[in-house]
Amino acid sequence: MVVIHKLPVIVGLIGISAASAFAQTWSKLPTTNNPTPRRNASAVYDPAQHRMVVFGGVDSTGSKNDVWSLNLSTMAWHLITPSPGNIPSPRFSHNAMIDSSFNRMLLWSGQGSGLFNDVWALNYSDSA
């Protein structure tokens, strides 16, 4: 017995997803007050304040432990590194995520003066 499947539906779905992939384009966004160029930093989206928050990375002077915020409405960068207080050591290649339940950025691991296996939380209510 031969079973015939309805392939036009599958082909149609593939055609829709392939067509939508071609409609996407990149645009360079104009920003002001930019942080130093760097690599291996972490970036997360803070939906409560409609901004991107970036921590650490490596620039031409070495590992960083600064925190920057990009306001996605004004496209302006702001240095929001908490001061004074206990902050993570300068690092790069770390992982970060948003903890929306407690309105904070979580940071784990990375390397700098050595390899890190620590967890940090940046409470957004403490950093404008």
Side-chain angles (χ1 to χ4, degrees), residues 10-36:
I10 296 172
V11 172
L13 291 175
I14 292 171
I16 291 170
S17 63
S20 63
F22 293 112
Q24 300 172 16
T25 60
W26 282 96
S27 299
K28 183 175 180 183
L29 302 176
T31 59
T32 60
N33 193 33
N34 298 345
T36 59

PDB file of all heavy atoms in Angstrom, residues 10-36:
ATOM      1  N   ILE A  10       3.783  21.607   3.248  1.00  0.00           N
ATOM      2  CA  ILE A  10       5.144  21.713   3.766  1.00  0.00           C
ATOM      3  C   ILE A  10       5.963  22.658   2.905  1.00  0.00           C
ATOM      4  O   ILE A  10       6.648  23.534   3.406  1.00  0.00           O
ATOM      5  CB  ILE A  10       5.806  20.321   3.846  1.00  0.00           C
ATOM      6  CG1 ILE A  10       5.064  19.454   4.856  1.00  0.00           C
ATOM      7  CG2 ILE A  10       7.274  20.440   4.205  1.00  0.00           C
ATOM      8  CD1 ILE A  10       5.494  18.015   4.877  1.00  0.00           C
ATOM      9  N   VAL A  11       5.879  22.519   1.608  1.00  0.00           N
ATOM     10  CA  VAL A  11       6.615  23.392   0.702  1.00  0.00           C
ATOM     11  C   VAL A  11       6.149  24.830   0.883  1.00  0.00           C
ATOM     12  O   VAL A  11       6.950  25.761   0.921  1.00  0.00           O
ATOM     13  CB  VAL A  11       6.447  22.929  -0.771  1.00  0.00           C
ATOM     14  CG1 VAL A  11       7.034  23.939  -1.729  1.00  0.00           C
ATOM     15  CG2 VAL A  11       7.098  21.573  -0.963  1.00  0.00           C
ATOM     16  N   GLY A  12       4.858  25.034   1.059  1.00  0.00           N
ATOM     17  CA  GLY A  12       4.326  26.373   1.276  1.00  0.00           C
ATOM     18  C   GLY A  12       4.866  26.992   2.548  1.00  0.00           C
ATOM     19  O   GLY A  12       5.230  28.163   2.570  1.00  0.00           O
ATOM     20  N   LEU A  13       4.955  26.225   3.636  1.00  0.00           N
ATOM     21  CA  LEU A  13       5.486  26.747   4.890  1.00  0.00           C
ATOM     22  C   LEU A  13       6.958  27.089   4.768  1.00  0.00           C
ATOM     23  O   LEU A  13       7.426  28.091   5.283  1.00  0.00           O
ATOM     24  CB  LEU A  13       5.266  25.742   6.025  1.00  0.00           C
ATOM     25  CG  LEU A  13       3.812  25.548   6.456  1.00  0.00           C
ATOM     26  CD1 LEU A  13       3.731  24.442   7.504  1.00  0.00           C
ATOM     27  CD2 LEU A  13       3.229  26.834   7.001  1.00  0.00           C
ATOM     28  N   ILE A  14       7.721  26.249   4.084  1.00  0.00           N
ATOM     29  CA  ILE A  14       9.141  26.520   3.875  1.00  0.00           C
ATOM     30  C   ILE A  14       9.305  27.805   3.069  1.00  0.00           C
ATOM     31  O   ILE A  14      10.134  28.643   3.364  1.00  0.00           O
ATOM     32  CB  ILE A  14       9.833  25.327   3.185  1.00  0.00           C
ATOM     33  CG1 ILE A  14       9.872  24.140   4.143  1.00  0.00           C
ATOM     34  CG2 ILE A  14      11.245  25.695   2.740  1.00  0.00           C
ATOM     35  CD1 ILE A  14      10.326  22.855   3.517  1.00  0.00           C
ATOM     36  N   GLY A  15       8.473  27.984   2.062  1.00  0.00           N
ATOM     37  CA  GLY A  15       8.532  29.186   1.241  1.00  0.00           C
ATOM     38  C   GLY A  15       8.252  30.444   2.045  1.00  0.00           C
ATOM     39  O   GLY A  15       8.888  31.473   1.868  1.00  0.00           O
ATOM     40  N   ILE A  16       7.331  30.386   2.996  1.00  0.00           N
ATOM     41  CA  ILE A  16       6.993  31.552   3.819  1.00  0.00           C
ATOM     42  C   ILE A  16       8.165  31.924   4.719  1.00  0.00           C
ATOM     43  O   ILE A  16       8.563  33.070   4.789  1.00  0.00           O
ATOM     44  CB  ILE A  16       5.725  31.281   4.658  1.00  0.00           C
ATOM     45  CG1 ILE A  16       4.507  31.203   3.752  1.00  0.00           C
ATOM     46  CG2 ILE A  16       5.531  32.365   5.715  1.00  0.00           C
ATOM     47  CD1 ILE A  16       3.263  30.701   4.454  1.00  0.00           C
ATOM     48  N   SER A  17       8.770  30.949   5.392  1.00  0.00           N
ATOM     49  CA  SER A  17       9.858  31.266   6.304  1.00  0.00           C
ATOM     50  C   SER A  17      11.091  31.733   5.541  1.00  0.00           C
ATOM     51  O   SER A  17      11.804  32.613   6.001  1.00  0.00           O
ATOM     52  CB  SER A  17      10.191  30.080   7.200  1.00  0.00           C
ATOM     53  OG  SER A  17      10.656  29.000   6.412  1.00  0.00           O
ATOM     54  N   ALA A  18      11.364  31.183   4.381  1.00  0.00           N
ATOM     55  CA  ALA A  18      12.514  31.614   3.601  1.00  0.00           C
ATOM     56  C   ALA A  18      12.313  33.032   3.097  1.00  0.00           C
ATOM     57  O   ALA A  18      13.231  33.840   3.091  1.00  0.00           O
ATOM     58  CB  ALA A  18      12.745  30.656   2.439  1.00  0.00           C
ATOM     59  N   ALA A  19      11.110  33.372   2.690  1.00  0.00           N
ATOM     60  CA  ALA A  19      10.839  34.716   2.186  1.00  0.00           C
ATOM     61  C   ALA A  19      10.980  35.753   3.286  1.00  0.00           C
ATOM     62  O   ALA A  19      11.499  36.843   3.061  1.00  0.00           O
ATOM     63  CB  ALA A  19       9.441  34.779   1.575  1.00  0.00           C
ATOM     64  N   SER A  20      10.535  35.452   4.513  1.00  0.00           N
ATOM     65  CA  SER A  20      10.624  36.425   5.596  1.00  0.00           C
ATOM     66  C   SER A  20      12.074  36.649   6.024  1.00  0.00           C
ATOM     67  O   SER A  20      12.408  37.714   6.513  1.00  0.00           O
ATOM     68  CB  SER A  20       9.770  35.991   6.780  1.00  0.00           C
ATOM     69  OG  SER A  20      10.251  34.787   7.315  1.00  0.00           O
ATOM     70  N   ALA A  21      12.941  35.670   5.845  1.00  0.00           N
ATOM     71  CA  ALA A  21      14.345  35.826   6.207  1.00  0.00           C
ATOM     72  C   ALA A  21      15.025  36.864   5.321  1.00  0.00           C
ATOM     73  O   ALA A  21      15.923  37.572   5.758  1.00  0.00           O
ATOM     74  CB  ALA A  21      15.065  34.489   6.098  1.00  0.00           C
ATOM     75  N   PHE A  22      14.597  37.004   4.081  1.00  0.00           N
ATOM     76  CA  PHE A  22      15.205  37.966   3.173  1.00  0.00           C
ATOM     77  C   PHE A  22      14.731  39.390   3.432  1.00  0.00           C
ATOM     78  O   PHE A  22      15.338  40.329   2.975  1.00  0.00           O
ATOM     79  CB  PHE A  22      14.932  37.570   1.719  1.00  0.00           C
ATOM     80  CG  PHE A  22      15.622  36.294   1.327  1.00  0.00           C
ATOM     81  CD1 PHE A  22      14.901  35.154   1.057  1.00  0.00           C
ATOM     82  CD2 PHE A  22      17.004  36.230   1.246  1.00  0.00           C
ATOM     83  CE1 PHE A  22      15.536  33.978   0.706  1.00  0.00           C
ATOM     84  CE2 PHE A  22      17.652  35.071   0.900  1.00  0.00           C
ATOM     85  CZ  PHE A  22      16.918  33.938   0.628  1.00  0.00           C
ATOM     86  N   ALA A  23      13.653  39.571   4.154  1.00  0.00           N
ATOM     87  CA  ALA A  23      13.100  40.903   4.391  1.00  0.00           C
ATOM     88  C   ALA A  23      13.801  41.633   5.532  1.00  0.00           C
ATOM     89  O   ALA A  23      13.542  42.794   5.769  1.00  0.00           O
ATOM     90  CB  ALA A  23      11.610  40.787   4.686  1.00  0.00           C
ATOM     91  N   GLN A  24      14.699  40.985   6.258  1.00  0.00           N
ATOM     92  CA  GLN A  24      15.350  41.594   7.416  1.00  0.00           C
ATOM     93  C   GLN A  24      16.619  42.323   6.997  1.00  0.00           C
ATOM     94  O   GLN A  24      17.362  41.846   6.152  1.00  0.00           O
ATOM     95  CB  GLN A  24      15.670  40.522   8.442  1.00  0.00           C
ATOM     96  CG  GLN A  24      14.409  39.825   8.922  1.00  0.00           C
ATOM     97  CD  GLN A  24      14.688  38.631   9.808  1.00  0.00           C
ATOM     98  OE1 GLN A  24      15.785  38.474  10.303  1.00  0.00           O
ATOM     99  NE2 GLN A  24      13.695  37.809  10.011  1.00  0.00           N
ATOM    100  N   THR A  25      16.852  43.491   7.577  1.00  0.00           N
ATOM    101  CA  THR A  25      18.045  44.272   7.260  1.00  0.00           C
ATOM    102  C   THR A  25      18.666  44.838   8.536  1.00  0.00           C
ATOM    103  O   THR A  25      17.990  44.999   9.551  1.00  0.00           O
ATOM    104  CB  THR A  25      17.720  45.457   6.324  1.00  0.00           C
ATOM    105  OG1 THR A  25      16.781  46.305   6.973  1.00  0.00           O
ATOM    106  CG2 THR A  25      17.162  44.984   5.002  1.00  0.00           C
ATOM    107  N   TRP A  26      19.955  45.137   8.475  1.00  0.00           N
ATOM    108  CA  TRP A  26      20.674  45.779   9.573  1.00  0.00           C
ATOM    109  C   TRP A  26      20.695  47.281   9.359  1.00  0.00           C
ATOM    110  O   TRP A  26      20.799  47.756   8.232  1.00  0.00           O
ATOM    111  CB  TRP A  26      22.131  45.290   9.609  1.00  0.00           C
ATOM    112  CG  TRP A  26      22.303  43.937  10.210  1.00  0.00           C
ATOM    113  CD1 TRP A  26      22.377  42.752   9.547  1.00  0.00           C
ATOM    114  CD2 TRP A  26      22.440  43.629  11.587  1.00  0.00           C
ATOM    115  NE1 TRP A  26      22.556  41.728  10.435  1.00  0.00           N
ATOM    116  CE2 TRP A  26      22.599  42.235  11.697  1.00  0.00           C
ATOM    117  CE3 TRP A  26      22.440  44.390  12.752  1.00  0.00           C
ATOM    118  CZ2 TRP A  26      22.762  41.592  12.911  1.00  0.00           C
ATOM    119  CZ3 TRP A  26      22.606  43.748  13.964  1.00  0.00           C
ATOM    120  CH2 TRP A  26      22.760  42.360  14.027  1.00  0.00           C
ATOM    121  N   SER A  27      20.651  48.049  10.445  1.00  0.00           N
ATOM    122  CA  SER A  27      20.809  49.503  10.416  1.00  0.00           C
ATOM    123  C   SER A  27      21.748  49.900  11.542  1.00  0.00           C
ATOM    124  O   SER A  27      21.593  49.434  12.668  1.00  0.00           O
ATOM    125  CB  SER A  27      19.477  50.210  10.644  1.00  0.00           C
ATOM    126  OG  SER A  27      18.554  49.888   9.656  1.00  0.00           O
ATOM    127  N   LYS A  28      22.723  50.761  11.247  1.00  0.00           N
ATOM    128  CA  LYS A  28      23.604  51.263  12.303  1.00  0.00           C
ATOM    129  C   LYS A  28      22.874  52.384  13.028  1.00  0.00           C
ATOM    130  O   LYS A  28      22.390  53.329  12.411  1.00  0.00           O
ATOM    131  CB  LYS A  28      24.918  51.781  11.727  1.00  0.00           C
ATOM    132  CG  LYS A  28      25.866  52.223  12.803  1.00  0.00           C
ATOM    133  CD  LYS A  28      27.212  52.615  12.256  1.00  0.00           C
ATOM    134  CE  LYS A  28      28.104  53.040  13.403  1.00  0.00           C
ATOM    135  NZ  LYS A  28      29.402  53.494  12.955  1.00  0.00           N
ATOM    136  N   LEU A  29      22.778  52.278  14.345  1.00  0.00           N
ATOM    137  CA  LEU A  29      22.051  53.265  15.145  1.00  0.00           C
ATOM    138  C   LEU A  29      23.011  54.350  15.619  1.00  0.00           C
ATOM    139  O   LEU A  29      24.091  54.048  16.137  1.00  0.00           O
ATOM    140  CB  LEU A  29      21.394  52.582  16.347  1.00  0.00           C
ATOM    141  CG  LEU A  29      20.429  51.444  16.000  1.00  0.00           C
ATOM    142  CD1 LEU A  29      19.924  50.773  17.271  1.00  0.00           C
ATOM    143  CD2 LEU A  29      19.277  51.955  15.159  1.00  0.00           C
ATOM    144  N   PRO A  30      22.636  55.601  15.472  1.00  0.00           N
ATOM    145  CA  PRO A  30      23.508  56.692  15.930  1.00  0.00           C
ATOM    146  C   PRO A  30      23.431  56.815  17.454  1.00  0.00           C
ATOM    147  O   PRO A  30      22.352  56.956  18.017  1.00  0.00           O
ATOM    148  CB  PRO A  30      22.910  57.927  15.247  1.00  0.00           C
ATOM    149  CG  PRO A  30      21.467  57.573  15.040  1.00  0.00           C
ATOM    150  CD  PRO A  30      21.421  56.082  14.835  1.00  0.00           C
ATOM    151  N   THR A  31      24.569  56.713  18.128  1.00  0.00           N
ATOM    152  CA  THR A  31      24.602  56.800  19.588  1.00  0.00           C
ATOM    153  C   THR A  31      25.543  57.927  20.014  1.00  0.00           C
ATOM    154  O   THR A  31      26.419  58.340  19.258  1.00  0.00           O
ATOM    155  CB  THR A  31      25.065  55.477  20.218  1.00  0.00           C
ATOM    156  OG1 THR A  31      26.380  55.160  19.728  1.00  0.00           O
ATOM    157  CG2 THR A  31      24.114  54.344  19.879  1.00  0.00           C
ATOM    158  N   THR A  32      25.369  58.406  21.243  1.00  0.00           N
ATOM    159  CA  THR A  32      26.228  59.457  21.785  1.00  0.00           C
ATOM    160  C   THR A  32      26.839  58.993  23.096  1.00  0.00           C
ATOM    161  O   THR A  32      26.324  58.103  23.758  1.00  0.00           O
ATOM    162  CB  THR A  32      25.429  60.757  22.032  1.00  0.00           C
ATOM    163  OG1 THR A  32      24.383  60.486  22.978  1.00  0.00           O
ATOM    164  CG2 THR A  32      24.825  61.281  20.744  1.00  0.00           C
ATOM    165  N   ASN A  33      27.970  59.642  23.476  1.00  0.00           N
ATOM    166  CA  ASN A  33      28.667  59.357  24.729  1.00  0.00           C
ATOM    167  C   ASN A  33      29.070  57.888  24.827  1.00  0.00           C
ATOM    168  O   ASN A  33      28.914  57.259  25.877  1.00  0.00           O
ATOM    169  CB  ASN A  33      27.798  59.777  25.929  1.00  0.00           C
ATOM    170  CG  ASN A  33      28.595  59.807  27.218  1.00  0.00           C
ATOM    171  OD1 ASN A  33      29.776  60.114  27.219  1.00  0.00           O
ATOM    172  ND2 ASN A  33      27.943  59.464  28.318  1.00  0.00           N
ATOM    173  N   ASN A  34      29.587  57.323  23.740  1.00  0.00           N
ATOM    174  CA  ASN A  34      29.907  55.894  23.664  1.00  0.00           C
ATOM    175  C   ASN A  34      31.002  55.471  24.632  1.00  0.00           C
ATOM    176  O   ASN A  34      31.968  56.212  24.843  1.00  0.00           O
ATOM    177  CB  ASN A  34      30.359  55.544  22.247  1.00  0.00           C
ATOM    178  CG  ASN A  34      29.292  55.800  21.215  1.00  0.00           C
ATOM    179  OD1 ASN A  34      28.131  55.983  21.543  1.00  0.00           O
ATOM    180  ND2 ASN A  34      29.678  55.821  19.969  1.00  0.00           N
ATOM    181  N   PRO A  35      30.886  54.259  25.201  1.00  0.00           N
ATOM    182  CA  PRO A  35      31.993  53.707  25.986  1.00  0.00           C
ATOM    183  C   PRO A  35      33.160  53.369  25.060  1.00  0.00           C
ATOM    184  O   PRO A  35      33.005  53.385  23.836  1.00  0.00           O
ATOM    185  CB  PRO A  35      31.397  52.429  26.596  1.00  0.00           C
ATOM    186  CG  PRO A  35      30.200  52.100  25.772  1.00  0.00           C
ATOM    187  CD  PRO A  35      29.736  53.366  25.128  1.00  0.00           C
ATOM    188  N   THR A  36      34.314  53.068  25.642  1.00  0.00           N
ATOM    189  CA  THR A  36      35.460  52.696  24.815  1.00  0.00           C
ATOM    190  C   THR A  36      35.131  51.420  24.036  1.00  0.00           C
ATOM    191  O   THR A  36      34.401  50.556  24.533  1.00  0.00           O
ATOM    192  CB  THR A  36      36.717  52.442  25.671  1.00  0.00           C
ATOM    193  OG1 THR A  36      36.426  51.394  26.611  1.00  0.00           O
ATOM    194  CG2 THR A  36      37.161  53.690  26.400  1.00  0.00           C
TER     195      THR A  36
END
